[in-house]
Amino acid sequence: MTTEHETQPWVKLEEIIDSGNAEQLEAYLNSLAPGEAALALSRLDGVEQLKVLTTLEPQDAADLIDEIPDVQATALVDALSPERAAVILQNLDSDEQADVLGAIDAEHAEAVLAAMDPQEAAEARKLFSYAPDVAGGLMVTEYLSYPRTFTARNVIEDLRQKVDEYADYDVQYVFVVSQEEKLEGVLRLRDLVLTPSNTPVVDIMIPNPLSVKVDEPLDELGAFFDHHAFIGVPVVDEAGRLVGVVRRADVEDALGDRADSDYLKSQGIVGGEELRTMPLLLRSRRRLSWLSINIVLNVIAASVIAYFEETLAAVIALAVFLPIISDMSGCSGNQALAVSVRELALGFIRPNELLRVWLKEISVGLINGVALGILIALTAWVWKGNAYLGLVVGTALALNTMIAVSIGGLVPLVLKLVKQDPALASGPILTTVTDMCGFFFVLSFAQLMLPWLVGTS
């Protein structure tokens, strides 16, 4: 009878690695359900992971690299010899090659490029020179294009003669280009097959197809595919020359990866990526760099309470409302922050539109602040039977809500202006300022009205 431990895929994987049987390893990985291979690989130590990549055939190793998270793939390729890394990367799609080469150590990347086929290396070098969140960084260069002088027969014969070369291409479109490689049209395979063989491709192509520029940002690409039911779109350079194809699936993946990264950054994961397979000290250092800043900010906020210690001691009921006001104001600020980060990403606002954003937010903050202030004031009055306590906490919450939405709305724009990451830095700034202001408003108002509040605690 097998135990649960023995049936785990990583246990079986370890056994196969020890045997060094490449065919058995390939067959086992292929037998795993989607995601199971990545899970099994992640449970192995670094040496065993490298054994997997060096034992597998290059194509199978490339398929595995394509399946695992980018951060893990980067770490593994960085640890491979340049020669082995080059052989594996040459079996990846061009966009994946560029992603990996752009993420690994620069010196190692150059060594890998030197070991690759010169033509492929030149293509890869060109691709990873683009930013990863523009069309050039997301496109693939494996596409089919033919001169406008070709006939349907010429195209079909080329497809038949180069079956092996085109086997790995994601053939959805066939493009027609001028002598200068400028995009002129797109051919549907159906029209190509059903047209008399001597028909010029210019007679059956769809002329002037939609395209995107090589520097088109990710959000614009997302909006493009939202409005057009295309599987892919051709990418052209400044001169209108066809240089690649951006696939819908790659854009959706990139948008999802960015959303995941922004979420992790907002939770204090520096770099926007962490897996528990990463080195322990690296994970600890990344988290501590965030936590150590936060502890300083929290001490600053708490110092406001220390300053008003006597007031708080005299009216102990205030201690109940301090976290409520801090939390409610923080929630309001986070709503404004989320909208600003989202609109910046979509291009709906520019970083210099501070006044416009503030006016939009302060109007919402005024309404919501008054509404929330009245609610908490009534709660305090009913609980302690003292209208002055309600006035203190209600006014404090109303004012702090207006401050919170102002900060939440504006800080991402300011950070963007100074070329900092809004998703990473906005949260702690908002939390610290709303805490400090909330505590200050409650305790300073209470100090002013202390004669009417004594006896409420």
Side-chain angles (χ1 to χ4, degrees):
M1 181 178 179
T2 57
T3 66
E4 181 182 352
H5 178 70
E6 291 172 335
T7 61
Q8 299 293 1
W10 52 90
V11 176
K12 181 66 175 175
L13 197 54
E14 286 178 339
E15 295 174 356
I16 298 174
I17 294 169
D18 291 339
S19 72
N21 189 321
E23 291 183 3
Q24 187 182 1
L25 180 58
E26 176 193 348
Y28 181 67
L29 289 173
N30 290 336
S31 72
L32 295 175
E36 286 289 296
L39 170 64
L41 190 68
S42 70
R43 297 299 177 90
L44 303 179
D45 63 34
V47 174
E48 291 172 327
Q49 290 176 352
L50 290 176
K51 279 185 180 178
V52 171
L53 292 185
T54 54
T55 301
L56 288 170
E57 292 296 319
Q59 180 61 63
D60 298 316
D63 291 341
L64 186 57
I65 287 287
D66 199 22
E67 184 178 342
I68 62 179
D70 290 344
V71 65
Q72 188 178 8
T74 300
L76 287 174
V77 172
D78 230 346
L80 289 170
S81 69
E83 294 74 21
R84 180 61 182 176
V87 172
I88 293 173
L89 291 184
Q90 286 179 165
N91 287 276
L92 287 172
D93 287 345
S94 53
D95 59 332
E96 291 295 330
Q97 282 183 10
D99 288 345
V100 174
L101 286 167
I104 64 177
D105 176 75
E107 186 176 336
H108 188 56
E110 286 299 325
V112 173
L113 286 166
M116 289 175 65
D117 173 79
Q119 185 174 348
E120 279 210 51
E123 286 289 339
R125 195 183 297 276
K126 182 179 177 181
L127 280 181
F128 82 77
S129 68
Y130 295 112
D133 57 352
V134 301
L138 293 167
M139 69 184 182
V140 294
T141 55
E142 295 87 1
Y143 59 87
L144 300 179
S145 66
Y146 295 96
R148 68 188 320 275
T149 54
F150 267 37
T151 64
R153 173 183 294 158
N154 296 143
V155 175
I156 292 172
E157 285 178 352
D158 179 77
L159 292 172
R160 287 172 176 166
Q161 291 170 4
K162 298 180 179 177
V163 171
D164 292 338
E165 181 181 339
Y166 298 152
D168 294 329
Y169 283 31
D170 185 11
V171 180
Q172 302 291 344
Y173 307 100
V174 176
F175 300 101
V176 178
V177 294
S178 68
Q179 187 175 359
E180 297 80 20
E181 293 296 318
K182 291 185 177 181
L183 177 65
E184 292 198 355
V186 61
L187 292 170
R188 293 180 297 196
L189 295 179
R190 176 180 178 276
D191 294 340
L192 191 62
V193 172
L194 298 179
T195 298
S197 60
N198 60 348
T199 305
V201 291
V202 292
D203 291 345
I204 56 175
M205 73 180 185
I206 301 171
N208 304 314
L210 292 173
S211 62
V212 296
K213 293 291 182 63
V214 72
D215 57 354
E216 196 82 14
L218 176 59
D219 293 302
E220 293 298 322
L221 294 171
F224 178 91
F225 284 111
D226 284 342
H227 289 90
H228 301 93
F230 298 161
I231 297 172
V233 60
V235 181
V236 296
D237 63 13
E238 296 79 4
R241 293 185 293 263
L242 180 64
V243 293
V245 176
V246 169
R247 299 174 293 195
R248 172 188 290 271
D250 292 333
V251 170
E252 291 174 348
D253 287 345
L255 287 168
D257 289 344
R258 188 180 66 183
D260 291 343
S261 178
D262 285 348
Y263 172 74
L264 288 171
K265 287 177 182 177
S266 71
Q267 300 304 306
I269 303 298
V270 175
E273 180 66 279
E274 181 180 319
L275 294 174
R276 292 188 174 92
T277 54
M278 294 169 68
L280 174 62
L281 292 180
L282 173 62
R283 293 171 56 221
S284 175
R285 186 170 67 249
R286 283 185 167 189
R287 293 194 189 187
L288 273 177
S289 63
W290 173 273
L291 294 172
S292 56
I293 293 172
N294 266 268
I295 196 169
V296 173
L297 296 175
N298 277 287
V299 168
I300 294 172
S303 66
V304 176
I305 297 176
Y307 181 79
F308 290 99
E309 186 177 358
E310 292 181 4
T311 302
L312 186 59
V315 189
I316 198 65
L318 294 172
V320 175
F321 291 98
L322 288 177
I324 296 175
I325 291 170
S326 172
D327 183 65
M328 291 304 302
S329 301
C331 289
S332 297
N334 278 319
Q335 290 174 332
L337 189 153
V339 174
S340 285
V341 171
R342 176 64 172 159
E343 288 193 339
L344 280 171
L346 292 174
F348 288 174
I349 56 173
R350 294 181 177 87
N352 59 0
E353 293 183 288
L354 297 170
L355 180 60
R356 176 181 177 275
V357 170
W358 181 74
L359 290 173
K360 292 284 188 181
E361 283 301 331
I362 198 65
S363 57
V364 175
L366 178 61
I367 296 170
N368 289 358
V370 170
L372 293 170
I374 291 172
L375 285 173
I376 199 169
L378 290 173
T379 301
W381 188 9
V382 170
W383 178 42
K384 285 296 183 180
N386 189 313
Y388 295 105
L389 178 63
L391 180 62
V392 166
V393 297
T395 304
L397 180 55
L399 289 174
N400 209 37
T401 298
M402 288 187 278
I403 288 176
V405 297
S406 299
I407 294 170
L410 297 180
V411 166
L413 277 69
V414 173
L415 290 171
K416 194 75 172 177
L417 276 173
V418 297
K419 303 189 184 305
Q420 297 299 313
D421 190 342
L424 180 61
S426 298
I429 294 173
L430 172 66
T431 301
T432 302
V433 176
T434 53
D435 283 356
M436 288 177 63
C437 290
F439 297 160
F440 176 78
F441 286 144
V442 172
L443 296 172
S444 61
F445 293 164
Q447 190 174 56
L448 290 173
M449 304 190 72
L450 197 56
W452 295 275
L453 292 176
V454 173
T456 62
S457 57

